[in-house]
Amino acid sequence: MGYMTVREVARDIIKNQVRTNGDAVPWNNTVRYSNLMLLRSIVDFEEFIHMDKPCFFDRGIIDTLGYARLIGIPITSGMVDAANKYRYNIKVFVFPFWKEIYVNDSERKQNIDEAERTFWALKKEYEKFGYNTVDVPFLTPQKRAEWVLERL
């Protein structure tokens, strides 16, 4: 629809780790995986901060903290500092867990219960850092995009 979008860093990390036989994946070395997520999210933020029109991030720095809390790994001061320093738009569109369309694939191995808990953990983390979360309704991808654009 003509807007800049930034891919989810987690999927790229997993693909690269699998390709290179690395262990920084959610089913192995979760600390290294979360560190890579944070670093890549910061790089993406820095790369796209100059945009003078809306730029949509599929995940962000706060997601790393929510993920860490969800799986019980320590939240470092570096994570908190990054979350406070690199601020996105105050309005964050979140996509509630949708059981009927959830599928696993080569990068997404969470069971359905963990996937739903992930949504709630991330939403809570964004709100904890002062973001206003807006739940996007269950619609077709096209209608969801239109719904979001009407609320920018």
Side-chain angles (χ1 to χ4, degrees):
M1 298 178 82
Y3 290 90
M4 174 63 77
T5 58
V6 181
R7 293 169 42 97
E8 177 182 359
V9 298
R11 284 187 171 273
D12 288 340
I13 291 167
I14 293 168
K15 285 178 186 174
N16 288 335
Q17 289 294 300
V18 169
R19 183 178 48 77
T20 63
N21 294 317
D23 71 345
V25 291
W27 52 89
N28 194 343
N29 190 334
T30 54
V31 172
R32 281 194 68 231
Y33 171 68
S34 66
N35 287 339
L36 282 176
M37 281 177 41
L38 180 64
L39 290 171
R40 299 261 177 95
S41 295
I42 291 170
V43 167
D44 281 351
F45 186 95
E46 287 287 352
E47 184 173 348
F48 295 100
I49 189 65
H50 69 280
M51 301 292 295
D52 60 353
K53 65 179 184 174
C55 177
F56 296 94
F57 288 78
D58 184 352
R59 305 285 185 199
I61 293 164
I62 303 293
D63 292 70
T64 303
L65 281 81
Y67 171 73
R69 274 193 216 289
L70 177 74
I71 65 168
I73 62 176
I75 305 294
T76 67
S77 60
M79 290 175 171
V80 174
D81 290 347
N84 285 319
K85 179 180 179 181
Y86 302 102
R87 300 292 296 179
Y88 300 91
N89 188 292
I90 193 75
K91 184 188 291 187
V92 174
F93 294 98
V94 295
F95 292 75
F97 179 74
W98 192 351
K99 182 179 182 177
E100 289 75 18
I101 67 168
Y102 183 78
V103 293
N104 292 110
D105 58 29
S106 59
E107 291 92 43
R108 182 183 293 134
K109 297 184 182 227
Q110 290 180 315
N111 68 41
I112 203 158
D113 293 330
E114 186 178 14
E116 185 170 17
R117 286 193 318 273
T118 298
F119 165 74
W120 291 109
L122 300 184
K123 181 178 171 87
K124 182 177 179 180
E125 202 68 26
Y126 274 96
E127 291 169 352
K128 178 180 174 185
F129 278 88
Y131 291 95
N132 299 324
T133 60
V134 179
D135 290 1
V136 178
F138 301 136
L139 301 167
T140 65
Q142 178 68 31
K143 293 287 184 195
R144 279 181 155 193
E146 292 167 1
W147 189 93
V148 167
L149 293 176
E150 289 169 3
R151 286 154 182 82
L152 287 182

